[in-house]
């Protein structure tokens, strides 16, 4: 529920205490995480005019709009210490989840020499990096958070970062920007069979 901290509020003292219900490590990690989210959103705004592929543009727009909502939910819960007025949502991909495995020969990748070289491969790489960075930041923040509402909101947001990163990686793989190597079938089978389930739980 959204709260106001104006002096006219009868519970303003209680609300103020709730808003200060954060530990030092939590404050630092949340600042880092929220800054990471803002950087990713800003990056999307800068990159959007350079996108050529309508599919990538659609992914960027959907992910941007979802992330803005997630950002507002996180900031509200962080500032108030209360349940946010809009709860954490769940990002839904609109693409399949098929990967092409194996490596094909190609030119080595190199850094750009000038801004005119920006393309959909570069843009999708920036988007993927932003989601991975946000997921790492949120995981670190959730592990340091003492406020129960903020911890839940941040922890619930991590799967959405993972899902958006996954969607971008599928897009990159489909267009040959991101290749997925595989072990031989024999090596994979040996690694898969290296573990077995157990039937001895503690009582």
């Amino acid at each position: 529920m959204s709260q106001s901290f104006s002096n006219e509020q009868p519970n303003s003292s209680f609300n103020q205490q709730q808003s200060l219900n954060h530990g030092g490590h939590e404050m630092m990690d949340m600042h880092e995480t929220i800054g990471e989210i803002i950087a990713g959103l800003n990056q999307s705004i800068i990159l959007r005019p350079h996108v050529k592929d309508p599919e990538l543009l659609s992914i960027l727009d959907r992910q941007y709009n979802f992330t803005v909502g997630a950002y507002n939910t996180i900031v509200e819960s962080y500032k108030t210490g209360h349940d946010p007025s809009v709860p954490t949502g769940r990002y839904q991909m609109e693409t399949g989840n098929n990967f092409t495995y194996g490596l094909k020969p190609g030119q080595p990748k190199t850094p750009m020499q000038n801004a005119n070289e920006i393309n959909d491969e570069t843009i999708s790489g920036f988007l993927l990096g932003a989601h991975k960075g946000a997921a790492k930041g949120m995981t670190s923040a959730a592990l340091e958070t003492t406020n129960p509402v903020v911890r839940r909101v941040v922890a619930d947001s991590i799967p959405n970062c993972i899902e958006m990163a996954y969607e971008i990686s599928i897009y990159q793989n489909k267009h040959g920007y991101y290749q997925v190597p595989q072990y031989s079938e024999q090596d994979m089978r040996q690694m898969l069979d290296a573990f077995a389930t157990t039937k001895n739980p503690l009582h």
Side-chain angles (χ1 to χ4, degrees):
M1 180 180 293
S2 178
Q3 298 288 337
S4 170
F5 299 115
S6 65
N7 290 332
E8 291 78 22
Q9 271 275 357
N11 294 326
S12 61
S13 176
F14 172 76
N15 290 336
Q16 187 68 30
Q17 285 180 335
Q18 285 297 103
S19 72
L20 298 178
N21 184 16
H22 304 286
H25 290 295
E26 174 182 352
M27 296 292 284
M28 296 303 293
D29 278 4
M30 286 302 297
H31 265 250
E32 188 79 20
T33 298
I34 292 171
E36 185 97 37
I37 298 169
I38 290 174
L41 290 169
N42 291 344
Q43 197 172 67
S44 292
I45 293 294
I46 293 168
L47 295 172
R48 191 180 188 279
H50 302 284
V51 176
K52 301 286 192 302
D53 184 2
E55 181 185 7
L56 180 58
L57 185 62
S58 174
I59 293 172
L60 185 153
D61 286 348
R62 281 188 288 104
Q63 292 189 351
Y64 178 88
N65 292 334
F66 182 89
T67 303
V68 166
Y71 166 81
N72 288 333
T73 293
I74 290 170
V75 169
E76 182 185 350
S77 67
Y78 174 62
K79 290 182 71 173
T80 66
H82 292 286
D83 286 340
S85 54
V86 178
T88 308
R90 182 180 175 194
Y91 184 75
Q92 298 283 350
M93 294 192 313
E94 292 186 2
T95 57
N97 55 5
N98 294 323
F99 270 90
T100 299
Y101 294 95
L103 300 176
K104 295 180 180 178
Q107 293 297 316
K109 296 182 185 298
T110 59
M112 292 167 47
Q113 298 299 306
N114 62 71
N116 294 331
E117 296 177 39
I118 194 165
N119 56 28
D120 290 338
E121 179 177 4
T122 308
I123 293 168
S124 60
F126 278 127
L127 298 176
L128 180 60
H131 294 314
K132 287 183 175 182
K136 291 174 184 176
M138 288 183 189
T139 301
S140 177
L143 292 169
E144 296 293 344
T145 298
T146 56
N147 183 289
V149 175
V150 177
R151 185 199 62 80
R152 178 181 49 77
V153 168
V154 172
D156 286 350
S157 299
I158 297 167
N160 292 317
C161 295
I162 295 171
E163 198 76 356
M164 289 187 280
Y166 188 56
E167 184 176 37
I168 292 290
S169 67
I170 291 169
Y171 171 84
Q172 288 189 316
N173 176 254
K174 184 170 78 171
H175 291 273
Y177 306 149
Y178 172 58
Q179 299 190 62
V180 183
Q182 264 192 328
Y183 289 114
S184 69
E185 184 176 346
Q186 178 181 347
D187 287 349
M188 279 199 292
R189 179 51 56 196
Q190 185 170 340
M191 294 185 75
L192 289 170
D193 291 341
F195 304 98
T197 57
T198 182
K199 297 181 180 178
N200 298 313
L202 294 175
H203 295 287

